[in-house]
Amino acid sequence: MNAPTPTPATGYAFAYLDEQTKRMIRRAILKAVAIPGHQVPFASRDMPMPYGWGTGGIQVTAAILGRSDVLKVIDQGADDTTNAVSIRAFFQKTASVAVTTKTAEATVIQTRHRIPEKPLTAGQTLVFQVPIPEPLRFLEPRETETRVMHALADYGLMHVKLYEDVAKHGRIAKTYAYPVEVEGRYMMDPSPIPKFDNPKLHMSPALQLFGAGREKRIYALPPFTAVKSLDFEDHPFERTKFEAPCALCGATDAYLDEVVTDDRGGRMFVCSDTDHCEERRAAGHRGAMLADTAGNEENVR
Amino acid sequence: MYVSVKGGEAAIRRAHRLLADRRRGSRDVAEIGSDQIAEQLTLAVDRVMNEGSLHDRALAALAIKQARGDLVEAAFLVRAYRTTLPRFGASRPIDTAEMVVERRISATYKDLPGGQILGPTFDYTHRLIDFGLEEASETPGPEAADALPVTPGSTPRVTELLAREGLVEVEPRGEDGEVGDLTRSPLRIPAKRDVRLQQLARGDEGFLLALGYSTQRGFGSTHPFAGEIRIGRVEVEFDVAELGFAVPLGEITVSECQMINQFSGSAKVAPTFTRGYGLAFGQAERKVMAMALVDRALRTEELGGEVIAPAQDQEFVLAHADNVQATGFVEHLKLPHYVDFQAELALVRAMRAEHAARAEADAADVVEDHFEEAAE
């Protein structure tokens, strides 16, 4: 990171939360790891960031962070979105941990809405920020009801909803926060990642933790957990595909952001995962927009 | 050509500097002191203490200054600070019968032991803007008779007068032991009354006001009477295990409202009056009245009634009363969502293309049909 390291905050415990709170959160995490996909209630604290800005993920990260950890924070796949910058600065300030933008170097990655393109490895932990942890919430607003449905593994409501999608639109019309089934038991909301990222959840060697601060829930996918995106035999799950490769690095297997370049319909598609894109460019890959200006990236950024 | 939201770091730094500048306002005007806020905007301070869930006037006043007068933002600042404070335990229940009463009114009795005391109320002011306040002027102190007594006299609560006749439900004594605290254990529905009252006390005044109002307009009517509203100072005591007795921690000002509600009885219970309860820090009359209405509405099920209105619905009320949570989630919509939006864009484009193709095919069919008919 080129940015100056923020001065450490004084008067606060390591990573902001006091030790009792961190212990309480760790216990919730342990329980969540023991029951993959099950939502564990925890006594979420009021944090110095607003609810909806990732207070759940921040509390999970604060509870698992050690002094030797290397932290990466992304929002929409990018390290330099304002909220990612702000959360990273918060942990630099309160925990003085090393930070990185490189997926491979990080031991803890906190994310909002994406899973990095580079496959995660054993020993890494991915922390998701979750707005609504309950996959059934928009079908049944009552917690008392959905709790019973999970207890009985009664997920008919969701299957009917997906079937109705197929009947009405000819396909499952869910593109993000696409529900999954964990180890054949719990239905889980993978947080609002695009369904493009869903296959990465399956059998990941990394530990995946999900924190929902406002809703006070933690859930987890321990390494090598079977995660299946819901579908039907005749309408199998399909990953979102892009027609054009990344305009900067030429990647054809990455999730792309559409960038409007003018008001006459001009647009380009670029990698949402900025680290992935930079790494590919550093390795000499060139997309269409970069072909002319190879080696002169400053003009482009 | 490719201009995206980059350089978040510098943008945030500059935004914060701008924010500080706007907070200060014109440098030609003297900077407001948080002591002035604590002394002269007392009701705002009270509200921030309630919704911030922390009794600390100086801190709440400072938060109001920092938040540029945005009270929800100020409550949020106080909440975040509260997170970092250790919790030693729970005080003894305060005894509002022993209150040093500054205001005490009952709408159910013309006169009663302890009397009706108007105190510092807006109730009978005419809401005419007082242009005299534009200039600083001497404000006379209260009349000698209105100086507060130093030691509390006992003022019995109205509900106790009714209880003596057996006309009001006997408040079930809370179980001894731990008082629920939803800042230490997450809210579970159905929630017990201690936790419900805690959430209402922390809850947004505007939200409770609207809900209370809705019960008055037929969405879960509770037939309420304002049995009593009292505002004054009470002593807070804390049991110290090592000492074996309670130690006074100091005095706080609270507002309390006891609503008395008509209740026609059920199979198990004879007709009687029931209660709704409201309690808050400082002078927060609107808040405690609304809270008492909502508290009673939330007891509908326990009293054998049918839950039909929003104010009676625990999940609806308790899950949405917290304005720090609400404002966070509503406002988070301004954070980037372009990854998800991209996924939706692709889907809508594909579905529109299919729709257009279908429409074209249908149109072609119609033309064909037409020709076939013509041929017949």
Side-chain angles (χ1 to χ4, degrees), chain A residues 3 16 43 45-47 49-51 76 80-81 112 142-144 147 171 175 192 216 255 258 267, chain B residues 6 9 76 79-80 83 183-184 189 313 315 325 328-329 336-340 342-344 349 354:
Chain A
Y16 189 75
R45 299 290 195 259
D46 289 301
M47 295 299 284
M49 290 84 156
Y51 289 100
Q76 314 294 304
D80 52 5
T81 32
R112 177 168 173 267
R142 277 168 207 288
E143 184 68 21
T144 37
R147 223 157 56 200
R171 74 189 79 201
T175 57
K216 301 178 169 48
Y255 193 81
E258 182 171 336
R267 55 200 59 204
Chain B
K6 300 283 169 189
E9 201 108 34
F76 178 19
R79 288 269 191 99
T83 291
T183 67
R184 301 286 145 157
I189 307 284
D313 184 330
E315 287 223 46
Q325 289 177 2
F329 201 46
H337 283 79
Y338 33 79
V339 163
D340 293 347
Q342 187 61 49
E344 290 285 90
R349 278 181 185 145
E354 277 170 23

Side-chain angles (χ1 to χ4, degrees), chain A residues 116-197:
Chain A
E117 305 292 1
K118 186 189 272 298
L120 299 178
T121 55
Q124 288 187 304
T125 303
L126 186 58
V127 178
F128 293 79
Q129 301 172 197
V130 181
I132 305 273
E134 178 51 72
L136 303 164
R137 179 59 68 239
F138 296 109
L139 305 173
E140 169 53 64
R142 277 168 207 288
E143 184 68 21
T144 37
E145 296 290 331
T146 54
R147 223 157 56 200
V148 173
M149 291 178 191
H150 282 294
L152 302 176
D154 173 8
Y155 297 129
L157 209 55
M158 178 64 84
H159 292 119
V160 168
K161 146 91 173 91
L162 298 183
Y163 170 75
E164 281 178 352
D165 270 7
V166 171
K168 262 192 240 163
H169 310 297
R171 74 189 79 201
I172 294 173
K174 203 132 175 69
T175 57
Y176 61 93
Y178 190 105
V180 296
E181 182 190 85
V182 180
E183 286 289 342
R185 177 58 179 86
Y186 284 99
M187 185 177 290
M188 189 190 96
D189 182 314
S191 88
I193 56 173
K195 70 174 181 176
F196 176 89
D197 283 341

